[in-house]
Amino acid sequence: MSQPRSIRVPILTRVEGEGALNIRLCGSRIEQIELNIYEPPRFFEALLRGRPIEDVADITSRICGICPIAYQVTAVQALETILGIRIPEPIAALRRLVYCAEWIESHVLHIHLLHAPDFFDCHSGIELARKFPDQVKRGLKLKQLGNRILEVLGGRAIHPINIAIGGFYRLPKTSQLTDLIPELQKALQESIDAARWLGNLPFPDFTAPYHYVSLIDADRYPIESGRVAIGPDQTIGLEIFETHFQEFQVPHSTALQSKFLGTDGASTEYFVGPMARLYHNQERLGPQAKRLADELRFDARRCNPYQSILARAIEVVHAFEEALRIVQALQDGRLGGLAPRVSSEPHAGIGMSATEAPRGLIFHRYQIDDVGNVVFAKIVPPTSQNQARIEADLRLLLEQIHRDSDPSIALACERLVRCYDPCISCSTHFLKVNIQRE
Amino acid sequence: MRSESREIPYEVFGIGSAQGADQVGWRVLDRLLDPWHCNPARLHRLETPLDLLGFAAALGIDERATQTWVLLDACLGESVGKVHCWRWPAVPESALPVRGVSSHGIGLIDALRLGQELGILPEFVWIYGIEIGEPQSTESDRSHSIDWVPCARLHAAIAKCASNIASRSLAMQIASNH
């Protein structure tokens, strides 16, 4: 009879927020795997009820210090659909630009300080910096440029305050944008170099049957708009998002989990984020990012989650390419004389929006009353959607490594979880790993 | 956020947020903006210690060599309002936890260690730590923000820091002019 094994790993490092991982093994049998998010719920959806719609962007941005733009843009777009607002093209371009900056900032941080250490046998970003000072410095500079764009467009880098229903509270001067061009040109090349640095990493041999879900935007890489791709050639509109993606509660987590419900009634875990975006949209990357993906032979169909570091690196290149394209297009002064936002009169209605946060698809739905107060709000962040998939991955991994030592198992599990760049703060925070063997 | 004067490379970074006691670093910057202080330093409002490194990584070697940094941050300790001044790297980890009260789990000490490893810190880095109390004792409570206590001791500490920094930056400017 197998001896029970009980292992407790107190803290999973290098993820955003706080949670725990509980594993119970009995011989080769995996009895329990629980991504335990015990952080108290933050009740943002309830907090929004009764508030004027003008408050929504500022309140939702507080959900996350890493991806506030994703929350803000998704929120205002959902409200704009209720109000019938169509924002002018230059303002839509600025929204995309500020979103690119958030991708840059978030991805570069995760690549260089949180994820890359795993591939170079380093325990921390500090140890990685000792081995690769130039590469880490380059990463910090790239992140800083993302911050700068956020400051120019968002008013400040963290929890920006300039996104408004109908546009922005204040538009940047054209010169503020053109000043960015030389830095963006340089950063684009540096981001390509950064991706090449990661191109030959020894990725663990692990695959899983992923059901990738992301937006698909007609002719461009999806960031702030699109339909939801639920299969290789199948998309749905947002109006039936909640029919196919159902949130549910599990006893071990204060964050909701989510599963995909197919037309046949079968439910499954699904995967959102850069890997899913590239799976559905690799051909829509910018020219340089696309060439780079080909050069690195990146293929999300391999379904190896460890390659998500490459997916992020490719998306950083795309984000710089896109940012540069937008800024160059706005050089002609078309922002001059443009009202920063489209005004509107409130009226009752329901509206929804989905965008691609750095960590994956994010969905918002709001109902407002005829004076412009929120009656109902629903927010589905990426990490809570990936939670069930992370647990399924861990189960597959443990089937391979259950004979290993406890520290080795804990380390391997941490590494796998980090591939998802989970933002537990978003779904609510911190990760400890407890393994029990019986 | 910068003052008009760029005459001396004295950079002051307030690290924190608008939340609770975490805002003490920003409050000192607010005081330094008061013309009464005749403060010639450049002021920077940061929300995470990592932003400090982005600033550092973008500096040229010459700039880095001549700069003095002053970092303002909340620190843990029971004597609310007590002000510490350390010169990096002589900082007790117990006062500024390596991780636990900062986003990404990367605290000020982690960021400075990373900066040191990369060789992007100036020679003089001073840290003003203002004690804001202790977090809840249990580990699971460490991420909770420490409530802002608008007590006289904290306000006095903010004023003391601002006054001290303004005097030092002014003294440096006077010295550099002679």
Side-chain angles (χ1 to χ4, degrees):
Chain A
M1 188 173 169
S2 298
Q3 286 297 310
R5 291 173 72 188
S6 180
I7 307 164
R8 178 183 161 87
V9 180
I11 297 173
L12 178 70
T13 55
R14 307 206 311 273
V15 297
E16 318 286 10
E18 303 181 355
L21 183 64
N22 296 319
I23 297 168
R24 193 167 60 240
L25 300 170
C26 186
S28 61
R29 200 172 69 250
I30 301 156
E31 293 198 330
Q32 179 199 41
I33 297 175
E34 291 179 345
L35 186 60
N36 175 5
I37 294 179
Y38 55 79
E39 187 77 16
R42 296 161 75 198
F43 301 117
F44 270 94
E45 289 146 318
L47 192 65
L48 288 164
R49 285 184 202 163
R51 307 284 300 206
I53 53 174
E54 290 79 12
D55 290 359
V56 174
D58 286 340
I59 291 173
T60 54
S61 84
R62 293 286 166 176
I63 292 172
C64 184
I66 312 296
C67 53
I69 293 291
Y71 285 95
Q72 291 186 311
V73 170
T74 314
V76 296
Q77 287 185 168
L79 295 167
E80 284 162 1
T81 62
I82 300 172
L83 302 173
I85 294 174
R86 291 179 68 88
I87 60 172
E89 188 276 330
I91 290 180
L94 288 178
R95 286 242 181 106
R96 192 169 171 86
L97 176 60
V98 74
Y99 218 133
C100 284
E102 181 161 282
W103 276 24
I104 291 165
E105 193 191 22
S106 175
H107 281 357
V108 169
L109 173 68
H110 186 258
I111 289 168
H112 290 86
L113 294 182
L114 307 183
H115 205 188
D118 283 342
F119 298 98
F120 295 103
D121 287 328
C122 296
H123 295 295
S124 68
I126 295 170
E127 206 177 321
L128 185 76
R130 203 171 296 144
K131 284 186 179 175
F132 298 98
D134 293 338
Q135 287 83 350
V136 173
K137 259 188 267 186
R138 179 179 59 205
L140 290 170
K141 279 194 255 182
L142 293 174
K143 182 181 179 300
Q144 181 74 356
L145 185 52
N147 279 20
R148 247 197 85 195
I149 302 169
L150 279 164
E151 283 165 9
V152 168
L153 288 165
R156 60 190 191 199
I158 297 184
H159 303 309
I161 46 173
N162 195 27
I163 308 285
I165 296 169
F168 291 86
Y169 287 108
R170 193 177 66 180
L171 293 182
K173 293 176 185 160
T174 302
S175 61
Q176 285 180 288
L177 297 176
T178 51
D179 284 351
L180 294 168
I181 291 175
E183 287 178 79
L184 284 169
Q185 287 168 328
K186 190 175 171 207
L188 173 57
Q189 185 52 52
E190 288 183 334
S191 66
I192 291 170
D193 295 340
R196 285 182 177 141
W197 171 52
L198 303 167
N200 294 314
L201 291 177
F203 295 110
D205 183 16
F206 177 88
T207 60
Y210 289 141
H211 183 95
Y212 287 123
V213 172
S214 84
L215 294 180
I216 285 188
D217 209 350
D219 55 355
R220 58 184 192 169
Y221 200 76
I223 298 180
E224 80 287 19
S225 59
R227 287 173 61 81
V228 182
I230 56 171
D233 296 306
Q234 203 180 357
T235 65
I236 59 166
L238 295 183
E239 66 283 356
I240 55 169
F241 179 90
E242 290 165 273
T243 308
H244 285 285
F245 298 95
Q246 295 188 339
E247 289 185 299
F248 58 95
Q249 199 154 23
V250 291
H252 58 272
S253 175
T254 52
L256 296 171
Q257 293 197 1
S258 185
K259 286 204 175 181
F260 171 73
L261 192 61
T263 46
D264 58 357
S267 71
T268 183
E269 305 86 12
Y270 61 101
F271 191 157
V272 299
M275 293 278 285
R277 285 194 288 262
L278 280 165
Y279 174 81
H280 289 293
N281 297 282
Q282 192 160 331
E283 73 282 7
R284 296 180 182 87
L285 285 167
Q288 298 201 57
K290 189 169 183 310
R291 266 200 302 279
L292 179 74
D294 293 343
E295 175 193 320
L296 299 177
R297 296 180 182 170
F298 178 83
D299 188 347
R301 288 173 300 183
R302 289 199 196 101
C303 295
N304 182 334
Y306 297 93
Q307 295 194 351
S308 65
I309 193 169
L310 276 188
R312 284 187 189 88
I314 291 164
E315 284 197 337
V316 170
V317 174
H318 175 79
F320 275 119
E321 224 179 334
E322 188 69 353
L324 187 57
R325 183 191 65 75
I326 292 168
V327 170
Q328 286 173 330
L330 294 173
Q331 276 186 102
D332 60 5
R334 73 180 78 170
L335 290 176
L338 196 65
R341 59 190 163 127
V342 178
S343 59
S344 64
E345 290 299 318
H347 57 80
I350 295 173
M352 55 205 80
S353 172
T355 69
E356 286 288 348
R359 288 166 185 79
L361 189 146
I362 178 170
F363 173 85
H364 286 209
R365 175 166 62 88
Y366 297 95
Q367 180 180 355
I368 65 173
D369 62 21
D370 54 8
V371 293
N373 289 327
V374 175
V375 174
F376 175 84
K378 177 171 183 173
I379 297 171
V380 185
T383 293
S384 61
Q385 294 179 80
N386 275 338
Q387 265 190 93
R389 186 59 252 172
I390 295 172
E391 289 181 349
D393 268 11
L394 288 166
R395 183 170 289 277
L396 289 172
L397 180 68
L398 281 165
E399 284 169 6
Q400 295 176 12
I401 64 169
H402 63 85
R403 289 186 187 84
D404 293 357
S405 68
D406 292 353
S408 171
I409 288 177
L411 184 62
C413 289
E414 282 185 296
R415 287 180 168 178
L416 182 56
V417 172
R418 277 196 287 270
C419 293
Y420 284 82
D421 186 13
C423 188
I424 297 168
S425 311
C426 278
S427 55
T428 80
H429 282 300
F430 191 89
L431 206 55
K432 295 179 183 177
V433 182
N434 302 316
I435 304 177
Q436 288 185 314
R437 296 184 192 255
E438 291 174 356
Chain B
M1 185 175 68
R2 290 175 182 222
S3 68
E4 287 304 310
S5 173
R6 295 172 65 91
E7 292 178 29
I8 61 159
Y10 203 77
E11 311 282 341
V12 181
F13 301 86
I15 302 163
S17 69
Q19 316 301 319
D22 196 30
Q23 62 188 290
V24 289
W26 287 13
R27 291 283 184 101
V28 177
L29 293 188
D30 291 342
R31 293 292 288 253
L32 285 169
L33 279 172
D34 186 334
W36 174 255
H37 280 301
C38 302
N39 162 56
R42 291 195 290 190
L43 310 180
H44 309 265
R45 194 185 289 250
L46 304 182
E47 298 206 34
T48 73
L50 270 179
D51 295 338
L52 190 65
L53 296 185
F55 177 87
L59 287 178
I61 293 171
D62 293 343
E63 284 178 289
R64 192 174 300 131
T66 58
Q67 283 189 355
T68 293
W69 284 6
V70 175
L71 314 179
L72 302 158
D73 202 0
C75 73
L76 304 180
E78 289 175 352
S79 308
V80 174
K82 185 174 178 183
V83 178
H84 301 269
C85 183
W86 300 288
R87 183 179 165 193
W88 174 258
V91 185
E93 280 188 12
S94 56
L96 294 164
V98 174
R99 58 174 58 86
V101 293
S102 292
S103 58
H104 312 100
I106 298 171
L108 181 57
I109 289 185
D110 297 292
L112 288 171
R113 279 188 185 146
L114 183 57
Q116 191 166 332
E117 210 55 68
L118 294 171
I120 56 176
L121 298 182
E123 186 182 349
F124 293 100
V125 177
W126 297 93
I127 301 166
Y128 281 74
I130 301 174
E131 287 192 21
I132 57 169
E134 292 282 3
Q136 301 295 316
S137 57
T138 61
E139 205 170 38
S140 63
D141 286 335
R142 291 185 67 198
S143 62
H144 296 183
S145 65
I146 300 160
D147 289 336
W148 170 247
V149 186
C151 67
R153 279 184 296 173
L154 218 40
H155 286 290
I158 289 165
K160 180 179 168 187
C161 276
S163 175
N164 192 315
I165 291 164
S167 309
R168 287 174 71 160
S169 62
L170 197 58
M172 277 189 71
Q173 188 185 39
I174 292 166
S176 68
N177 288 343
H178 291 83

